[in-house]
């Protein structure tokens, strides 16, 4: 079953099937064939009800996708981050739209659903299609098993497929006739091509007074101002006992007799079975079968022989006996010599004749070729057993009153005491401790000072136990410890403040009528000019710094402004002129952007359609029941007003 599922997951149909499921379940919800009794649903949109079980399935699919991207989402984290609320809101909008389309009469016919389903199933590889291999007829039992492997039923899948077809046809029609007015893309083209000529000069640090050494009072105030950045997180000194099969492998010796015994036991499965290639022709009756035998023996082409009876020959390439579905045909094929033709075979699927084309003999690898893999496997098994024995010795000593270090030492385990580490696994220098796994850290930061964990299994013969030797609370570092770098940062901060004040003063002089060049000369610097900065070519001017670019596009022409420079200093700048793009460029971009603008308009219409459908149907949601469905203890959560705990049993509805 597992192998079949893996093969199915790699097939083209799997992409289509799961794509349809994700779209139809996440966009349309579950069909009304799964309606629950009144009140036992998380979404009610007209005749459509989404059950708690269906919402849980939606949430689990979301979790799987996040985990595939390295993100961990638990039900409690989902509530904290508002994921559950967002999912419920979006599903309610999508369910509402699907229901409104249904009420409008947009419904896929049974024939269209059946045809679409058959097309999708036919896209499976030959060995995985739910069709009879001989007759080609649809096999309902195979179909049900295929869906069951993916936790689906025919009713659920076909209902989602029906909704998907209805929405696809509706919005395809809308999209085909929708084209944004040219003015929309013309406005965007004008916005993108608007050019700005910038003039600016940087504040010369030599023109401002250098800050002196700070006093302790100034540093203390600076520390208080930047407490969030300076406060060190809670750290802990840990003793970790590790019982590692991997580390023990080097101490294990595997007897030669065990290697030979394992090889002999697996010899038949280590190689490849004999496979045969053959041609099979179905015969309508015994007389035709005899004729087919004669013609195949003479060397006539199988295709020509089969066509005389309105059939196609079945060509089987390199299959073992166990892979042939008809046992009688398999026996006949594996009794032939290469090139030999069988007598007529009355198989499970009718009368046929086979001709053996090729034999691929079975192969068995030598002991020497398999020795490294077998020895490594036996070593790993022995090391895992040895690590387990160590854990039992540790547990006995620990239960007898010994502390973690003494018990681990008695068991022969490796014990290590760490430097102070934070919950993220880094030390005070910001370096990670590679010996601490996420599970070990999580366990350690749930214990009090002096607390010891139980033995925790990390898989593959790896175990650990952790003891908290010391807890160092979160706190600001003492001034003496950070005086030198803090004083340097304070002086730099003061220098920037004075440069900012200088820039503001020079900007005021420009506002009062002095030229940019004259003010720059007075500050011992020069004006630099950058012509034609547009939103379209802004990437070419990233060296100017983000703050200066943003200020440039927001400034009025002729009005000076102060912006932060790319190197941390300050500049006095002014947009000297604003000019539009050339008519040729405007025309090109207007037409080039029109499809994109139309797509944006289409998305806006789709969102508005969902909102309108939700309002029209007065769709209701039950957030408390949705949270309970995914395993959240709602009794500990605040109610919607944020004042009182939520009730365990949902009694109210939220629109």
């Amino acid at each position: 079953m597992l192998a079949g599922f893996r093969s199915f997951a790699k097939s083209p149909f799997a992409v289509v099937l799961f794509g349809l499921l994700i779209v139809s379940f996440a966009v349309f919800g579950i069909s009304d064939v799964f309606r629950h009794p009144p009140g036992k649903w998380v979404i009610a949109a007209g005749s459509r009800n989404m059950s708690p079980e269906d919402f849980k399935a939606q949430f689990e699919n979301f979790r799987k996708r996040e985990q595939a991207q390295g993100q961990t989402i638990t039900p409690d984290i989902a509530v904290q981050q508002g994921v559950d609320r967002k999912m419920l809101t979006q599903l309610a909008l999508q369910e509402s739209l699907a229901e409104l389309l249904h009420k409008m009469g947009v419904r896929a016919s049974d024939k269209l659903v059946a045809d679409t389903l058959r097309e999708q199933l036919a896209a499976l590889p030959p060995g995985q299609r739910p069709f009879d291999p001989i007759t080609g007829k649809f096999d309902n039992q195979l179909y049900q098993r295929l869906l069951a492997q993916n936790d689906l039923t025919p009713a659920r899948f076909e209902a989602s497929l029906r909704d998907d077809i209805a929405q696809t046809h509706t919005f395809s029609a809308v999209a085909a006739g929708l084209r944004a007015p040219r003015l929309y893309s013309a406005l965007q083209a004008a916005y993108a091509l608007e050019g700005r000529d910038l003039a600016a000069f940087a504040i010369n640090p030599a023109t401002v007074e250098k800050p002196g050494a700070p006093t302790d009072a100034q540093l203390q105030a600076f520390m208080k101002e930047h407490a969030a950045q300076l406060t060190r997180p809670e750290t802990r000194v840990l003793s970790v006992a590790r019982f590692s099969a991997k580390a023990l492998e080097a101490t294990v010796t595997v007897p030669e007799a065990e290697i030979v015994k394992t090889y002999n036991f697996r010899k038949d499965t280590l190689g490849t079975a004999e496979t045969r290639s053959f041609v099979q022709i179905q015969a309508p009756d015994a007389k035709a079968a005899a004729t087919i035998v004669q013609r195949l023996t003479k060397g006539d082409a199988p295709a020509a022989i089969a066509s005389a009876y309105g059939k196609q020959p079945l060509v089987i390439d390199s299959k073992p006996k166990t892979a042939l579905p008809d046992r009688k045909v398999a026996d006949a094929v594996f009794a032939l010599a290469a090139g030999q033709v069988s007598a007529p075979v009355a198989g499970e699927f009718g009368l046929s004749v086979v001709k053996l084309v090729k034999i691929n003999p079975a192969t068995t690898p030598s002991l020497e070729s398999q020795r490294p893999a077998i020895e490594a496997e036996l070593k790993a098994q022995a090391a895992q057993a040895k690590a387990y024995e160590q854990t039992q010795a540790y547990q006995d000593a620990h239960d007898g009153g010994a502390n973690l270090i003494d018990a681990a030492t008695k068991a022969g385990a490796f014990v290590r005491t760490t430097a102070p580490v934070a919950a993220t696994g880094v030390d005070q220098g910001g370096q990670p401790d590679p010996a601490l796994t996420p599970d070990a850290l999580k366990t350690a930061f749930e214990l009090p000072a002096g607390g010891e964990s139980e033995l925790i299994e990390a898989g593959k013969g790896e175990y650990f136990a952790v003891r908290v030797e010391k807890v160092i609370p979160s706190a600001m570092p003492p001034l003496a410890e950070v005086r030198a770098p803090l004083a340097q940062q304070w002086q730099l901060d003061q220098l920037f403040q004075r440069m900012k004040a200088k820039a503001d003063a020079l900007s005021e002089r420009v506002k009062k009528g002095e030229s940019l060049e004259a003010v720059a000369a007075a500050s011992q610097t020069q004006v630099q000019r950058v012509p034609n900065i547009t939103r379209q070519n802004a990437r070419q001017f990233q060296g100017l710094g983000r703050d200066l670019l943003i200020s440039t596009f927001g400034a009025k022409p002729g009005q000076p402004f102060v912006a932060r420079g790319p190197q941390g200093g300050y500049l006095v700048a002014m947009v000297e002129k604003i000019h539009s793009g050339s008519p040729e460029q405007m025309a090109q971009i207007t037409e080039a952007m029109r499809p994109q603008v139309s797509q944006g308009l289409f998305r806006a219409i789709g969102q508005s359609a969902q909102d309108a459908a939700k309002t029209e149907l007065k769709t209701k949601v039950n957030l408390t029941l949705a949270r309970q469905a995914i395993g959240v203890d709602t009794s500990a959560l605040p109610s919607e007003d944020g004042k009182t705990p939520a009730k365990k049993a949902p009694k109210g509805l939220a629109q």
Side-chain angles (χ1 to χ4, degrees), residues 374-398:
I374 293 175
E375 185 174 9
E377 181 181 349
L378 294 178
K379 271 192 173 185
Q381 292 174 356
Q384 289 176 13
K386 192 171 182 179
Y388 181 74
E389 291 174 1
Q390 286 185 339
T391 64
Q392 297 306 297
Y394 167 85
Q395 195 67 59
D396 290 342
H398 197 255

Side-chain angles (χ1 to χ4, degrees), residues 203 498-508 562 570-572:
I203 302 303
R498 294 176 186 184
M499 290 174 68
K500 173 66 165 57
K502 179 79 171 181
D504 289 339
L506 295 177
S507 176
E508 286 298 320
V562 174
Y570 285 90
L571 304 100
V572 177

Side-chain angles (χ1 to χ4, degrees), residues 143-200:
Y143 172 57
Q144 291 183 14
R145 286 201 295 269
L146 176 65
L147 293 179
Q149 290 172 0
N150 299 280
D151 297 323
L152 294 170
T153 64
R156 177 176 293 182
F157 175 64
E158 290 162 21
S160 68
L161 182 59
R162 189 181 300 275
D163 285 343
D164 182 66
I165 293 171
Q167 184 168 11
T168 299
H169 281 220
T170 300
F171 284 99
S172 294
V174 174
L178 180 66
R179 194 177 187 194
R182 186 176 283 107
L183 179 62
Y184 286 23
S185 55
L187 289 172
Q188 293 206 16
Y191 183 76
L193 291 175
E194 179 188 78
R196 295 182 171 232
D197 297 339
L198 178 69

Side-chain angles (χ1 to χ4, degrees), residues 612-631:
K614 183 174 183 292
T615 302
E616 174 71 20
L617 297 170
K618 298 180 180 179
T619 300
K620 297 178 176 63
V621 300
N622 193 323
L623 179 61
T624 300
L625 187 58
R627 287 173 169 173
Q628 290 174 355
I630 63 176

Side-chain angles (χ1 to χ4, degrees), residues 20-21 23-34 47-50 94-103 106-109 112-113 116 155-171:
L20 285 172
L21 289 177
V23 171
S24 58
F25 282 9
V27 175
F28 299 107
I30 306 303
S31 174
D32 55 1
V33 297
F34 303 104
S47 64
R48 288 174 175 264
N49 293 337
M50 177 177 285
Q94 295 162 348
E95 282 285 294
S96 300
L97 182 58
E99 171 67 6
L100 190 61
L101 288 176
H102 183 78
K103 292 182 67 174
V106 182
R107 304 172 188 177
S109 67
L112 180 57
V113 173
T116 303
R156 177 176 293 182
F157 175 64
E158 290 162 21
S160 68
L161 182 59
R162 189 181 300 275
D163 285 343
D164 182 66
I165 293 171
Q167 184 168 11
T168 299
H169 281 220
T170 300
F171 284 99

Side-chain angles (χ1 to χ4, degrees), residues 5 37 92 113 171 212 280 282 344 366 383 385 411 482 512 526 580 594 637:
F5 176 74
V113 173
F171 284 99
Q280 181 180 3
Q282 292 293 125
S366 66
V482 295
K512 291 178 180 179
Q526 294 181 340
S580 60
R594 200 170 182 187
L637 295 176

Side-chain angles (χ1 to χ4, degrees), residues 408-427:
T409 302
K410 184 176 181 180
F414 175 75
V415 182
R416 176 175 175 271
T417 300
T418 70
V421 293
T424 56
V426 299
D427 59 21

